[in-house]
Amino acid sequence: MRHLLLIVYFLSSLFLFSQNQRFKSFSIKEGLSQSTVNCIIQDQMGLIWIGTQDGLNKYDGHEFTHYKKQYNDSNSIPDNNIQSLTEDSKGNIWIGTYGGGIAIYNPKLNSFKRLNSSNSLLSDDIIMCFKEFQNSMYIGTKRGGLNTFNYENEKITPIELDNNTQIQVRDIETFNNTVYAATNMGGIHYFQKSVWVKLLDTIQIQTIHPINNQLLLGGVHGELFMSSSNYFKFNKLKIEGLKNDGIWGICSDNSNNLWLGTFGGGLLKIN
C-alpha cells in the first residue's frame, strides 16, 4: 500500500504543480544504496527514511547515510531488504525487513534494537505494516499474523484472528479509537470490548483508509465500501469507472479528491 500512496502523492503533485515545479531523481549515482524503493517516510526532524531491497537510507537534504546489516554486530539492522517503515511517538524508527524481523532505531543512541522470533515475534519472514495505538505497536506480518509490542514491558503478544495466528495481515488502521485489521482470510477485524470482531467475511479487503469521519475499505476484486454512521456496518459504493481491478491504495488529498490505486487498472481520481 505504501508504494501506491507514494505514487498517488507523486502523481497528484505532478498534476497540480507541473508547470512550475522541478523534479530531481535519486539513484545509486546520487548516493541511494539501491534503486528499488519499497517504502519511505519523513520523521519528526524532517529527515527522509528510505527502505530499499539493499539497505536503509537516511536523507538529510544534502546526503545519504546508509545502514546495512553487519554480521558481527547485533546492534545493526537484521536484514538489508527493508519492507516497511514507521515512526513511533517517541521518535524511534521501526524497520520491517524481509527475513530478519524488526529493527527499532533509536536516534539518540544511534543504534538498532532487534525484535524477531527469539523475542516471541511469530514470523521473521515479511513485516507488512505497523500501527501505533494506546502504548503499543501493532505489527502485521505475511505469515505470522498480527502481533502487538507493549512499550512498558517490551513484550510481544500474538493476536489470534480467525482462530489462526499465522495469517497474512495486509493493513492496519486506527479509527474512532478502534483498531482495524485486514487479512488474507477475508473481511476486516476490529477490536471492541477486549474481543476481535469480524465483518464482511466473504470479501477480500486489501486496504483501509479513514476519510471525513468515515472508513473506506478497498477490496482485491475492485470493491469499495464505506462505513455507516455507527462505524461497524459498511455499504458497498457504486463508482463509475471502477472495474474489477483490485484496490491496493486509497488516498484523499487537500482538495477533497479521492485517489484509488488499482492492481493493473491504473489510478482513479474521484471528485
Side-chain angles (χ1 to χ4, degrees):
M1 184 180 73
R2 291 177 177 83
H3 305 175
L4 289 165
L5 294 181
L6 178 61
I7 293 170
V8 166
Y9 175 80
F10 173 78
L11 288 175
S12 61
S13 298
L14 180 63
F15 175 78
L16 293 171
F17 306 114
S18 59
Q19 293 185 358
N20 57 8
Q21 187 79 12
R22 296 181 64 186
F23 295 92
K24 182 178 181 180
S25 62
F26 295 93
S27 64
I28 295 174
K29 182 179 179 181
E30 286 75 31
L32 198 62
S33 66
Q34 204 258 354
S35 58
T36 300
V37 175
N38 292 327
C39 47
I40 182 170
I41 64 168
Q42 184 176 36
D43 68 15
Q44 298 171 14
M45 302 299 293
L47 300 170
I48 302 296
W49 294 84
I50 305 109
T52 75
Q53 291 186 0
D54 188 24
L56 176 67
N57 298 253
K58 179 178 69 178
Y59 183 62
D60 63 3
H62 302 284
E63 61 182 5
F64 290 92
T65 301
H66 299 162
Y67 300 93
K68 290 192 175 185
K69 179 178 180 178
Q70 305 297 320
Y71 289 89
N72 58 349
D73 184 2
S74 61
N75 291 320
S76 65
I77 61 175
D79 190 86
N80 289 329
N81 192 333
I82 311 300
Q83 292 290 305
S84 52
L85 291 167
T86 196
E87 182 184 23
D88 65 24
S89 56
K90 297 180 180 179
N92 299 311
I93 306 299
W94 289 64
I95 303 107
T97 72
Y98 188 87
I102 297 168
I104 305 173
Y105 175 73
N106 185 324
K108 295 179 181 179
L109 302 177
N110 191 31
S111 65
F112 295 87
K113 178 180 179 179
R114 297 181 181 183
L115 298 177
N116 49 43
S117 55
S118 65
N119 305 107
S120 299
L121 186 68
L122 284 181
S123 173
D124 294 339
D125 180 34
I126 302 177
I127 307 301
M128 304 284 287
C129 46
F130 297 105
K131 193 67 180 182
E132 187 178 48
F133 183 69
Q134 293 184 347
N135 205 38
S136 293
M137 183 66 75
Y138 284 75
I139 305 163
T141 71
K142 186 172 183 178
R143 279 183 278 266
L146 183 63
N147 302 254
T148 61
F149 177 84
N150 185 282
Y151 291 153
E152 292 182 359
N153 58 26
E154 298 190 350
K155 181 181 179 181
I156 297 176
T157 303
I159 295 175
E160 189 174 274
L161 302 176
D162 282 328
N163 299 316
N164 193 338
T165 58
Q166 298 181 341
I167 61 178
Q168 178 187 128
V169 178
R170 292 171 169 165
D171 199 11
I172 310 169
E173 190 55 76
T174 56
F175 178 72
N176 196 32
N177 207 34
T178 303
V179 178
Y180 293 81
T183 77
N184 66 330
M185 300 299 289
I188 184 173
H189 297 77
Y190 69 91
F191 192 66
Q192 186 181 51
K193 297 180 179 179
S194 302
V195 177
W196 284 90
V197 181
K198 188 175 182 180
L199 300 171
L200 303 173
D201 59 352
T202 62
I203 307 297
Q204 292 283 326
I205 302 299
Q206 179 68 32
T207 186
I208 310 169
H209 180 72
I211 177 175
N212 295 335
N213 204 34
Q214 290 180 295
L215 202 63
L216 283 176
L217 309 178
V220 299
H221 299 297
E223 307 95 334
L224 186 64
F225 297 89
M226 178 174 283
S227 63
S228 59
S229 58
N230 65 7
Y231 306 118
F232 302 117
K233 292 184 178 180
F234 291 85
N235 300 312
K236 187 175 182 180
L237 303 180
K238 293 183 179 181
I239 305 296
E240 185 178 353
L242 183 61
K243 301 180 181 179
N244 293 328
D245 306 300
I247 300 175
W248 281 41
I250 303 175
C251 180
S252 50
D253 62 26
N254 293 332
S255 299
N256 293 321
N257 297 308
L258 185 67
W259 299 79
L260 305 179
T262 71
F263 183 74
L267 187 67
L268 182 64
K269 177 184 175 184
I270 303 172
N271 296 322

